[in-house]
Amino acid sequence: MSTTTQTSAQPKKLDIGRLLLEGRAFFALIAIIIFFSFMSPYYFTLNNFLIMSSHVAIFGLLALGMLLVILNGGIDLSVGSTLGLCGVFAGYLIQGVNIELLGVTFYPSLWVVIVLTCALGAVVGCVNGILVAHFKVPAFVATLGTMYVARGIALLITNGLTYNKLDGKTELGNTGFEWLGFNRVAGIPVSVIILVIVALICGLILSRTAFGRWLYASGGNESAANLSGVPVIRVKIVVYMVSGICAALAGLVLSSQLTSAGPTAGNTYELTAIAAVVIGGAALTGGRGTVRGTILGALVIGYLSDGLVIIGVSEYWQTVFTGTVIVLAVLLNSLQYSSKAKNR
């Protein structure tokens, strides 16, 4: 006579702590919106959210490029200087390129300016990638050096000055630069639309392509990925190039919003980009992170900073609050990934 024991599957209990931990960026964003909505009647308005989102677009673009680099196990400290250099380069092109040998001045159109500026960002990123991938220079050191070089070139181009009046002239065919920073499509700022498009592209690449799988694999364990046939060197160079292009786009948007291009633009923005990625739940050791989390991280920083401005908090306290948020994000990241490791 055989006996059978029936075990009823117990339903999984809802772990509130884990839910709050893994969705911390989203819950932090909601808390920020609720808090500042009570503190100021001007915060919770559609127009203010669109304005804040246009500010977030700059940090968001930098953060998306940084995400890909961090997923690969690297870091890119040059994105702020690349932003400044590309903004200056765009301003230089709009002001007119004087070719003394031919005795002519070339005034490129807006789309030519965008393409050339993105190409410059890709070149800076390619230099970083080659230094890190081929010459095995630590990413921190390589991009730190590139950061100073890019900033120095921007200062040399402008002689320390700022390019103003970037509106162009109709008769020269170089108008429309302000379109990136001020125009809206269906009521949505163009800068926000650019951020959404770049985010969708990055999300599709990470989730639906072989390159995305290579990126997560090489970031999680580069040696194992290399033995599995992943083109580790190519992946590394490409992610730094993409980071450079994202920095170039951010430089274009920022210069357009300011209607000027200065060599010091983007100073310390690389730290804000890293913070957005970390707040979004990415691991600085590589192999873990999402586009959704990074965008939420950028929104947290942007909405917090603008909220503090609206209620009149001193700029110095803003830095303190932002730094505190970053430290908390790093601590929560460590807690999350250490608990996952124990459960395995």
Side-chain angles (χ1 to χ4, degrees):
M1 182 177 178
S2 61
T3 60
T4 59
T5 59
Q6 295 180 350
T7 59
S8 58
Q10 295 182 353
K12 290 184 178 180
K13 293 182 179 180
L14 180 62
D15 192 338
I16 301 297
R18 183 177 178 182
L19 177 65
L20 291 174
L21 185 62
E22 294 186 354
R24 59 189 175 276
F26 174 75
F27 293 119
L29 180 62
I30 297 300
I32 287 170
I33 292 173
I34 293 173
F35 174 77
F36 287 113
S37 296
F38 278 109
M39 294 297 294
S40 171
Y42 306 107
Y43 190 84
F44 198 82
T45 63
L46 177 59
N47 187 53
N48 184 53
F49 278 119
L50 291 174
I51 292 173
M52 291 193 298
S53 297
S54 67
H55 298 161
V56 169
I58 297 166
F59 300 129
L61 288 168
L62 290 177
L64 287 172
M66 186 70 73
L67 170 67
L68 300 184
V69 174
I70 288 177
L71 283 176
N72 191 241
I75 200 78
D76 190 354
L77 299 179
S78 68
V79 292
S81 295
T82 303
L83 180 154
L85 174 60
C86 289
V88 162
F89 181 67
Y92 170 74
L93 293 175
I94 292 172
Q95 296 283 341
V97 181
N98 185 24
I99 305 175
E100 295 182 0
L101 184 63
L102 300 177
V104 297
T105 302
F106 175 56
Y107 293 94
S109 65
L110 173 62
W111 293 108
V112 174
V113 171
I114 292 174
V115 170
L116 292 178
T117 303
C118 288
L120 175 61
V123 169
V124 176
C126 185
V127 171
N128 284 331
I130 290 173
L131 288 173
V132 174
H134 280 289
F135 293 98
K136 307 301 179 184
V137 179
F140 183 91
V141 177
T143 58
L144 181 66
T146 311
M147 177 183 76
Y148 281 107
V149 171
R151 188 69 69 187
I153 294 174
L155 289 165
L156 286 171
I157 292 174
T158 62
N159 199 25
L161 302 176
T162 298
Y163 288 124
N164 296 309
K165 298 179 180 179
L166 302 181
D167 298 335
K169 295 182 179 179
T170 305
E171 60 270 21
L172 298 175
N174 62 344
T175 58
F177 188 66
E178 72 283 354
W179 178 79
L180 292 172
F182 292 103
N183 275 30
R184 297 189 178 192
V185 176
I188 302 174
V190 172
S191 56
V192 176
I193 294 173
I194 293 172
L195 174 63
V196 170
I197 292 172
V198 174
L200 288 174
I201 292 172
C202 290
L204 289 173
I205 289 174
L206 291 178
S207 62
R208 301 297 177 89
T209 66
F211 182 84
R213 293 190 291 273
W214 293 343
L215 179 55
Y216 278 109
S218 59
N221 190 326
E222 185 172 313
S223 300
N226 192 30
L227 292 173
S228 301
V230 174
V232 174
I233 292 178
R234 192 198 316 165
V235 169
K236 201 178 291 288
I237 293 175
V238 169
V239 294
Y240 279 100
M241 289 180 67
V242 173
S243 180
I245 293 171
C246 288
L249 288 172
L252 287 165
V253 170
L254 179 62
S255 297
S256 178
Q257 290 180 354
L258 299 175
T259 63
S260 64
T264 59
N267 191 28
T268 72
Y269 279 24
E270 60 276 353
L271 302 180
T272 306
I274 295 171
V277 176
V278 172
I279 290 171
L284 289 174
T285 52
R288 294 169 177 170
T290 63
V291 169
R292 181 180 63 256
T294 298
I295 293 297
L296 284 172
L299 288 170
V300 166
I301 293 178
Y303 283 17
L304 173 63
S305 299
D306 284 359
L308 292 171
V309 171
I310 289 173
I311 65 174
V313 174
S314 167
E315 182 181 353
Y316 307 122
W317 278 109
Q318 292 176 36
T319 306
V320 172
F321 287 133
T322 304
T324 303
V325 169
I326 294 169
V327 172
L328 287 174
V330 173
L331 290 175
L332 290 172
N333 271 11
S334 300
L335 182 62
Q336 178 184 353
Y337 293 126
S338 62
S339 63
K340 282 186 177 180
K342 289 179 182 178
N343 293 332
R344 287 177 180 174

